[in-house]
Amino acid sequence: MSDLDLQCPEEPSATGAYQLSWDAPPGAGVVLSEEGDEIYRGDDASLALSGRREGVYAYELEVVGGQEETSSCAVEVAPPSLGTAALLFSTGALVFGATVALITVGHRKSQA
Amino acid sequence: LSDPVISRELGLAILAGFSVLWLVLGWWWGRGAEGYEDRAVAGRSVGFALGTATAMATWVTTNTTMTAPQFAYQLGVWGMFGYSLAAIGLIAFAPLASRIKKLMPRGYTSGDFIRMRFGGPGWVVFLGISFFYALGWLVSMGMAGGILLESLTGIDYRVGMVTIIVVCTGYTMLGGLRAVIGTDFIQSILILVGLVIVGVAAFTTVSPSDVHAQLAEDRPALLDLLAPASIMFLFNQLLFGVGEIFHSNVWWSRAHAFREDVGGRAFFWGGVLWLPVPVLAGSVALAAPILGVDVPALDMVGPMVIGELLGKTGAVLILIVVISSLASSLDSLLAATSDLFVEDIYRRLIRPRASDEELRSASLWLIGALGLLTIGLCWQRLATLGEVLNLTGAFVASTIWPIAAGLYYRATNARAATAAMVAGSAAGLAAYFTIGFFTAALVSAAVSMVITAVGSWAAPARFDFTRLAGEEVGSG
């Protein structure tokens, strides 16, 4: 069984933010790459990323100065459609406006 | 994990110092309390300054100081500003607080109102929602305390979490709501002063334009004002905050505890003072990329960036701010939730003729039991703070319309209100799991609004509001 194991979230990320975690040999430093670019070097066991746009991101983990062994996985970023977002935003504005009106009218009537 | 900024010994010393301070103050303020009414609603005589401070401090939770940075890091600028919209909850509750005090001058809990206004079925549904929310909030705060201490000082998560919960439980048992409101006043000052120092120091260390330039290059999605998840988050967060405040006995107990002319003003100014807090706390998270801070978990971004920005002094400061914000909310929730149990279950269902001493004793036992239950639920760190918190949004947002309409309009139909809470919660949960956490409260509130409005229009009730004042609630 391998000593190096990189784990990505199984479900697609709707926000573009997610956490990668890994198992590595005790005390070993690791290098994490995203699409071939190094994004982390150190001895933590996880990394939280954010601000990723829609797409699939491939990650690879290797031990600093170790064997050529690597572990890899991928994350899909799949935000909701802008149409769904606009619909829910409008719904939220409507509910908030109606709630303010409900309280304002009720308060005025109760003061009369 | 990354090396802690503060030594374990210094962290333990700060924790011990504040623990002793809160316990002594709890005992000091609680020693004059006479009977259950004094413990539960602080003699119904809290003034404007204490009222505003307790409203603001209680609403500045560890979720504000730790989850606001998480949302900023996760959702960008809308995450930060969206979180601050939760202030609307306090401001919108201001007129309701005056109305509650006027309608129920002898009331104790939000459960009292729901039972008298909507009857048994609505009361049962409401208590289920209230207890689930209270446990979710308690667990998210207990976890936040443990996570913060571990990330800043290296103190083991469980040691920090247990210490903070035991201390808050202890001084709430000693002093009841008087101690809670008194310590909130001191905690609110510590929180405001600490956050202002952190904010000023942070933006003199890293310029906002550099932060913006780095984000635009590395993480442009965080600056995208049309990012779908962030757009949905805005009103979701607003309605979540409104739902949390409208239904929770934490706020109803304060409405009952404040003097008659104080409630409306105290909640309004508490909300205004609270508004900039999530922006101050959240904005520092956006500096993580330019500072090269590697964040191992989303909910650790706030303390890690502040530790990196301000070093040991900043870390000590943020430790004090978060310990204060955690204590100011945890104590309120313990006191208010135990009152809900005492009033709505012990006195209503178990011992209707309980004496004042029996109510007081039940309250003490329940606060202790809630503290232990919270420790048990926090023992395994199961989810991120945001996940724990947002799941409860599906439930609490369903209570907004039943409560607001029920307080002001006699036509509000009890069956419609009950159905609105059930259907709203179910729809909110469905949205949480099918679309995302950032839609649960929004969908729940929308469904509940439609059912309350349509049901009350189709079959209007003729509720007599004088019934709320007529019944001697909680007199023992």
Side-chain angles (χ1 to χ4, degrees), chain B residues 18 20-43 46 50 53-54 57-58 167-188 254 257 324 327-336 339 360 364 367:
Chain B
F18 277 99
V20 172
L21 176 67
W22 301 146
L23 285 168
V24 169
L25 288 173
W27 165 78
W28 177 261
W29 275 307
R31 75 204 155 92
E34 292 174 6
Y36 178 64
E37 174 146 325
D38 237 13
R39 281 190 64 81
V41 286
V46 175
L50 278 178
T54 191
T58 303
V167 169
C168 291
T169 305
Y171 78 75
T172 309
M173 288 174 79
L174 283 169
L177 194 61
R178 277 184 192 278
V180 169
I181 290 176
T183 49
D184 277 1
F185 185 74
I186 298 170
Q187 288 152 357
S188 69
R254 278 162 175 71
S324 299
S328 67
S329 307
L330 201 54
D331 59 7
S332 303
L333 198 52
L334 285 167
D339 289 342
R360 190 173 173 278
L364 287 176
I367 292 169

Side-chain angles (χ1 to χ4, degrees), chain A residues 14-15 17 19 40 44 46-48 50-53 80 82 85 88-89 91-93 95-96 98-99 102-103 105-107 110, chain B residues 1-2 73-74 88 95 99 102 219-221 224 226 228 231-232 235 238 246 294-298 401 404 408-409 442 446:
Chain A
T15 61
Q19 185 174 321
Y40 174 78
D44 285 347
S46 60
L47 182 68
S50 67
R52 268 53 181 174
R53 291 192 184 279
L82 201 54
L88 284 169
F89 182 86
T91 305
V95 174
F96 176 59
T99 307
L102 179 85
I103 294 171
V105 172
H107 190 67
S110 72
Chain B
L1 293 181
S2 304
Y73 189 76
Q74 195 171 5
I88 301 295
R99 179 81 173 155
K102 187 176 169 188
R219 306 186 189 202
D224 186 356
L226 289 177
I231 289 175
M232 290 189 247
F235 277 109
L238 190 156
F246 277 24
D294 295 316
V295 182
L298 286 169
W401 266 67
Y408 283 115
Y409 300 89
L442 195 160

Side-chain angles (χ1 to χ4, degrees), chain B residues 205-288:
Chain B
T205 309
V206 183
S207 87
S209 59
D210 290 345
V211 171
H212 183 273
Q214 184 71 32
L215 287 176
E217 187 182 329
D218 279 0
R219 306 186 189 202
L222 294 183
L223 299 173
D224 186 356
L225 299 184
L226 289 177
S230 306
I231 289 175
M232 290 189 247
F233 177 76
L234 277 181
F235 277 109
N236 183 76
Q237 198 60 23
L238 190 156
L239 292 167
F240 185 10
V242 173
E244 282 182 282
I245 289 182
F246 277 24
H247 96 284
S248 174
N249 196 48
V250 166
W251 309 102
W252 282 69
S253 64
R254 278 162 175 71
H256 290 304
F258 295 168
R259 280 202 322 257
E260 194 171 348
D261 59 328
V262 162
R265 287 184 297 138
F267 278 106
F268 176 81
W269 285 108
V272 171
L273 281 172
W274 189 89
L275 195 65
V277 171
V279 178
L280 269 176
S283 59
V284 296
L286 297 176

Side-chain angles (χ1 to χ4, degrees), chain A residues 19-33:
Chain A
Q19 185 174 321
L20 308 177
S21 54
W22 53 83
D23 298 319
V30 296
V31 175
L32 178 70
S33 304

